[in-house]
Amino acid sequence: MVKAVKLQEEYRRHLNRRNSSYAKAISIVDGDAYLNAAIDLIYENLVIKFETTDLIRNHLRKLQESETLEVEKIDENKSRVALPEEYYKLLRARGHVCKGTCEKFIDLQILQTSDINKALKDPFWKPSFEWERLFGKEMGDYLILYHNCDFNPKELEIEYLRKIEHIATPSLTPNGSYVNSEGVMINKDQNFEIDSTSLWLRVAKLAAVMTLNDMGDIQEFQSQMQELLAVDKIFLT
């Protein structure tokens, strides 16, 4: 975990390098907002690349969770499970299913809607207890499970990445607290969860680049963004 005040200090150092008036013009509340926007963007791109390198998996290990979820039957052909409130990205899942007196675990295959429609109609690819085929798709706050009337899911074991916590530095304000953009009173510092020097430095720099863009410093924004992209492709989507 990295102290949030360190991110604020590094963020303002980047702004001061361009123009000392920039850092003075940005409040602590707005600075936190820019840092959190940068955190969200970096996290989104890390998640996309999660399975590609051990380095990224190690960075995000703290954000991995596992749970066993109850299954709610919709009809004979499908069921659903409510995703955890902090859910962000599914890594893997398997269903505890039964058919008559037999039970087993079947890995869940996530499919696009068009692929599910084809699979459900294909006699050689439809959900099957014997062939261990269980299909699913994300729909809002739920995972929809497709099993036709061949078997019944009892529980679903999932591994997922949760949402990353936003940072906050109310200790840097005169009153030691502030109201954020969602109308919530913040009176305690919230540190950066990922204990990686390279990542928190990227967060601070990207936040500064975003600020430059909003201030209309397009030339400096483009220069700094090109530097970020050249050093690390993490920001490419």
Side-chain angles (χ1 to χ4, degrees), residues 6 28 42-43 46 54-55 75 91 101 103 106 109 119 128 132 136 144 172 179 208 213 223-224 227 231 237:
K6 291 181 67 174
I28 295 298
I42 290 175
Y43 186 51
L46 285 173
D54 289 337
L55 178 62
D75 54 41
L91 299 178
T101 59
E103 297 185 13
I106 300 179
Q109 301 178 57
S128 168
E132 300 187 351
I144 308 300
L172 297 178
V179 177
N213 183 54
S223 173
Q224 292 295 323
E227 183 179 332
V231 171
T237 57

Side-chain angles (χ1 to χ4, degrees), residues 36-187:
N36 286 323
I39 287 171
D40 288 343
L41 179 57
I42 290 175
Y43 186 51
E44 178 183 351
N45 283 271
L46 285 173
V47 169
I48 291 171
K49 300 172 176 67
F50 180 79
E51 300 290 352
T52 62
T53 70
D54 289 337
L55 178 62
I56 291 178
R57 284 192 292 273
N58 289 336
H59 282 331
L60 303 186
R61 192 178 306 279
K62 183 178 181 181
L63 302 178
Q64 285 184 250
E65 304 285 350
S66 60
E67 290 190 38
T68 299
L69 306 174
E70 294 184 1
V71 175
E72 176 189 354
K73 196 168 186 177
I74 299 174
D75 54 41
E76 293 301 316
N77 295 314
K78 57 185 179 293
S79 302
R80 71 180 186 177
V81 295
L83 293 167
E85 186 177 348
E86 72 276 14
Y87 171 88
Y88 187 81
K89 172 71 175 178
L90 183 68
L91 299 178
R92 58 193 63 86
R94 67 173 189 167
H96 181 197
V97 306
C98 63
K99 184 174 183 178
T101 59
C102 299
E103 297 185 13
K104 66 168 68 173
F105 286 94
I106 300 179
D107 289 338
L108 179 67
Q109 301 178 57
I110 298 295
L111 300 178
Q112 300 298 319
T113 300
S114 58
D115 293 330
I116 287 178
N117 292 336
K118 293 176 183 178
L120 295 178
K121 296 176 182 178
D122 189 336
F124 300 105
W125 191 243
K126 64 182 181 180
S128 168
F129 185 84
E130 288 75 17
W131 294 99
E132 300 187 351
R133 289 195 292 264
L134 172 62
F135 303 134
K137 71 174 181 180
E138 291 188 35
M139 184 176 292
D141 296 328
Y142 293 90
L143 268 176
I144 308 300
L145 310 180
Y146 296 87
H147 44 83
N148 285 355
C149 52
D150 189 62
F151 57 90
N152 290 306
K154 298 175 65 177
E155 295 176 327
L156 188 72
E157 297 178 355
I158 68 169
E159 294 180 31
Y160 64 97
L161 289 170
R162 63 173 171 81
K163 298 172 184 176
I164 191 168
E165 294 283 348
H166 278 173
I167 65 101
T169 59
S171 64
L172 297 178
T173 65
N175 297 325
S177 65
Y178 65 74
V179 177
N180 67 14
S181 59
E182 297 176 350
V184 177
M185 175 65 73
I186 306 296
N187 52 29

